[in-house]
Amino acid sequence: MLNFRLLLVLLSVLVAALFGASLLIGPAGLGVGTSLRALLAGQGEAAVLVMREIRLPRALLGVMLGASLGLSGAAMQGYLRNPLAEPGLIGVSSSAALGAVIALQTGLAAMVALALPLMALAGAVLSVLLLLMLAGARGASLTLILAGIAVSAFAGALTSLALNLSPNPYAAAEIVFWMLGSLSDRSFTHVWLALPFMALGWVLLAPLGRGLDALTLGEDAAAALGIRLTRLRLSLVLGTASCVGAGVAVAGAVGFVGLVVPHLLRPAVGGRPGRLLPASALGGAAMLLAADIATRLIAPERDLKLGVVTALVGAPLFLHLIYKTRKEGMW
Amino acid sequence: MVSLLALEKLTVRRGECPVVDRISLSVAAGEFVGLIGPNGAGKTTLMRAALGLLPALGHSSLAALPVATRAHAAAWLPQTREVAWPVSVETLVALGRTPHLPATGQMRAADHAAVEAALKRMALEGLRFRSAAQLSGGEQARVLIARALAQQAPLLLADEPIAGLDPAHQITTMEVFAGLAAEGHAAIVSLHDLGLAARHCTRLILLGQGRLVADGPPGDVLTGANLAEVFGVRAFYARTEDGPVFQPLEVVR
């Protein structure tokens, strides 16, 4: 187990380095000097546009989305005491995706500028209300999982219906491509749209560490240690929904980050769910920035989708982790 | 004597059927109470309701406290031995300090001392850096007891804490609880081993079908009539030079 502070410093350095790399890599092919002068001093008209309007919001969204997914994944695993839990489990991401798909399918997204992210957020909010209604404010974690699966399945079915009823193959292709998840061509409008929701999510999830630590002993023992489980659960659901809902709204469905990153970093924090929260937020930001850079490096002309890369990297990584933990006989 | 727990007509219903039926009792500092009764008699339900972890009718002094205050008044060791993550033994025991930590979660000198004392008391110093998920069932049970001890609450409620331990650790654990009582704390411990209950507890509470059947010193509770009525067994019970000896002999119904 590494020293915890050292781990956070190392992860922060990694995020900063990848953030820098994300600013410097792109199809415009600007030199390092040109890029930095444009970004910081505002020199060179075209370069300023590329740096400040295209690359900076993209890199910022990468950090925000990655941190949100990593943090909510760690919180969800900690609450459910299950390393297979991920933020999408409570059905928010599929519901947000449904909202976006409806915006695309009805043509609303083409008519109104922010219709797509706003519809996605509306989908996320509706699913949370439905989830809380189904699972109740009190109750065990199992009811939350079941309610989440039900919401998820229903949203998935409606998304399929929208695809099924799409007026022409192009509309269907647009929907499918959107669902693969991407950060390309996002602007500061997207940053400002997502930031308040994600920040709310961070504020709700960050203080849960102590309760999640106590939950290592089970719900009964945690309650007797003075943890208010009802409140913890509400914070968890609302925080995850804000993070994930806003994430899907601006970037589409990006999977595996919330699942793999907490799993990867757990040994480094000695298994403690509370310490995993900040570590996983930083780790998530790093993984998402790296994956987004990869989409630009591997196939710059083909518009490789971010969600495809995270899944391509995440799934084998996850398989490797399962294999390793099976050999060691522990998580 | 300071009363650490007072129950008045505590009742828990599951549907129409009372699982815990109008139980009134109080536990004072210095007592080591053994909670005995057959399976399904309501021992676990009684303890959880007393702690306020279950909705109940009647009054419990612990359940009436705010959640954070209650964690300073009583420690609870559930029967299910759950260790969800591969944290070290020391970290797991330190979770008992949760109610005492400031908002930053920083452990202070008193917290470290409490964790050390708990590890020492359960003879776990040698295991402190081991992953709690990799221990044997009995070792895990002792680590979780140490966690409850580290909470340093005046009252400890434990649900079958010695089930699955080897005889030596069963005896030392009972002695730890008796030691707590002697220091002015109190323990309420549900048990199936009536022999150990008879030897170590200062007081036994016998439950049968949710009702309080007998409450008093072990010799007054473990009578032939009570055993036949509640447990359906006949037993040998004698005070010997080595202390009280209790051995169930046969089923009588």
Side-chain angles (χ1 to χ4, degrees):
Chain A
M1 185 180 125
L2 266 108
N3 179 305
F4 181 53
R5 276 191 197 144
L6 181 66
L7 176 75
L8 292 189
V9 169
L10 287 178
L11 285 169
S12 304
V13 170
L14 181 64
V15 171
L18 287 164
F19 185 80
S22 178
L23 284 176
L24 296 178
I25 295 168
L30 305 171
V32 175
T34 322
S35 304
L36 290 180
R37 269 195 301 280
L39 181 68
L40 302 171
Q43 289 174 8
E45 213 165 299
V48 168
L49 197 71
V50 168
M51 290 307 293
R52 290 195 179 166
E53 302 298 324
I54 298 174
R55 289 196 193 165
L56 186 59
R58 182 169 185 165
L60 282 175
L61 278 174
V63 172
M64 286 159 52
L65 178 63
S68 297
L69 291 175
L71 178 65
S72 51
M76 196 55 88
Q77 294 187 359
Y79 174 71
L80 296 176
R81 284 153 284 149
N82 189 330
L84 290 174
E86 54 116 15
L89 195 71
I90 56 172
V92 177
S93 43
S94 37
S95 307
L98 173 65
V101 167
I102 292 174
L104 285 170
Q105 215 267 354
T106 54
L108 211 61
M111 287 187 290
V112 187
L114 285 176
L116 189 147
L118 289 175
M119 285 285 283
L121 282 173
V125 170
L126 277 179
S127 76
V128 170
L129 294 178
L130 187 63
L131 186 79
L132 290 177
M133 227 167 65
L134 277 171
R138 278 178 78 101
S141 48
L142 187 66
T143 47
L144 188 70
I145 301 180
L146 293 175
I149 290 174
V151 171
S152 223
F154 190 56
L158 289 179
T159 303
S160 301
L161 179 69
L163 264 175
N164 193 178
L165 296 180
S166 54
N168 56 59
Y170 300 107
E174 195 188 0
I175 291 175
V176 170
F177 271 108
W178 180 84
M179 287 204 296
L180 295 178
S182 171
L183 282 180
S184 60
D185 304 326
R186 301 303 194 266
S187 68
F188 263 105
T189 318
H190 292 95
V191 174
W192 296 128
L193 185 74
L195 190 59
F197 290 96
M198 289 187 173
L200 173 70
W202 302 334
V203 169
L204 284 168
L205 293 177
L208 298 185
R210 198 168 166 184
L212 296 179
D213 277 345
L215 271 173
T216 303
L217 299 165
E219 298 194 9
D220 233 32
L225 279 169
I227 304 300
R228 270 169 287 202
L229 290 179
T230 311
R231 209 170 77 173
L232 187 151
R233 180 160 113 148
L234 194 64
S235 294
L236 175 92
V237 169
L238 294 180
T240 304
S242 304
C243 277
V244 176
V248 174
V250 295
V254 178
F256 273 101
V257 177
L259 179 66
V260 174
V261 170
H263 206 78
L264 201 62
L265 288 171
R266 184 164 291 115
V269 295
R272 298 173 65 168
R275 289 189 165 183
L276 191 56
L277 293 180
S280 189
L282 289 169
M287 179 176 171
L288 204 92
L289 282 170
D292 189 38
I293 293 170
T295 62
R296 281 175 266 173
L297 287 179
I298 295 170
E301 291 82 34
R302 299 296 304 274
D303 187 20
L304 192 57
K305 295 293 184 191
L306 179 62
V308 178
V309 174
T310 55
L312 274 177
V313 176
L317 202 62
F318 198 58
L319 286 176
H320 170 70
L321 283 169
I322 294 168
Y323 181 70
K324 210 178 79 184
T325 49
R326 198 194 62 185
K327 267 204 319 207
E328 286 166 11
M330 54 180 279
W331 297 122
Chain B
M1 282 295 217
V2 193
S3 167
L4 298 178
L5 171 68
L7 306 180
E8 271 169 55
K9 294 186 181 159
L10 196 71
T11 304
V12 180
R13 288 212 176 88
R14 198 154 290 158
E16 275 303 292
C17 171
V19 195
V20 166
D21 197 358
R22 287 163 295 161
I23 289 187
S24 302
L25 57 91
S26 79
V27 174
E31 289 193 289
F32 176 13
V33 181
L35 190 58
I36 58 173
N39 294 329
K43 304 185 290 295
T44 303
T45 309
L46 172 64
M47 287 197 280
R48 294 188 69 216
L51 279 158
L53 298 173
L54 275 181
L57 303 169
H59 180 79
S60 158
S61 60
L62 280 179
L65 294 174
V67 174
T69 318
R70 185 186 65 201
H72 288 273
W76 166 232
L77 184 63
Q79 187 181 357
T80 42
R81 290 164 188 167
E82 197 170 336
V83 179
W85 303 111
V87 296
S88 72
V89 166
E90 196 176 8
T91 306
L92 195 78
V93 173
L95 288 178
R97 300 305 295 170
T98 303
H100 301 272
L101 298 185
T104 57
Q106 194 65 42
M107 295 259 291
R108 290 171 291 196
D111 301 308
H112 288 293
V115 171
E116 281 311 309
L119 285 171
K120 188 154 185 278
R121 206 156 198 165
M122 295 309 295
L124 291 165
E125 292 117 314
L127 296 179
R128 71 168 71 215
F129 298 121
R130 287 271 297 278
S131 163
Q134 286 178 318
L135 299 177
S136 78
E139 287 169 332
Q140 230 173 46
R142 283 161 53 217
V143 171
L144 290 171
I145 294 170
R147 189 283 298 168
L149 296 180
Q151 201 170 334
Q152 291 187 328
L155 177 65
L156 171 69
L157 290 102
D159 198 1
E160 299 195 24
I162 62 166
L165 296 186
D166 59 49
H169 281 116
Q170 284 192 334
I171 293 170
T172 49
T173 303
M174 291 298 277
E175 283 168 354
V176 166
F177 294 142
L180 282 180
E183 288 166 19
H185 290 234
I188 304 175
V189 173
S190 77
L191 292 162
H192 277 301
D193 191 321
L194 302 181
L196 286 169
R199 284 182 74 86
H200 296 276
C201 295
T202 61
R203 171 182 167 192
L204 293 183
I205 291 173
L206 174 60
L207 293 187
Q209 295 182 332
R211 287 192 317 276
L212 196 151
V213 179
D215 180 356
D220 297 355
V221 172
L222 295 172
T223 60
N226 280 343
L227 289 169
E229 185 204 326
V230 178
F231 286 100
V233 297
R234 189 170 72 80
F236 168 81
Y237 183 46
R239 288 169 202 283
T240 69
E241 286 172 15
D242 289 320
V245 172
F246 179 94
Q247 175 64 47
L249 298 175
E250 61 179 355
V251 175
V252 292
R253 61 180 169 206

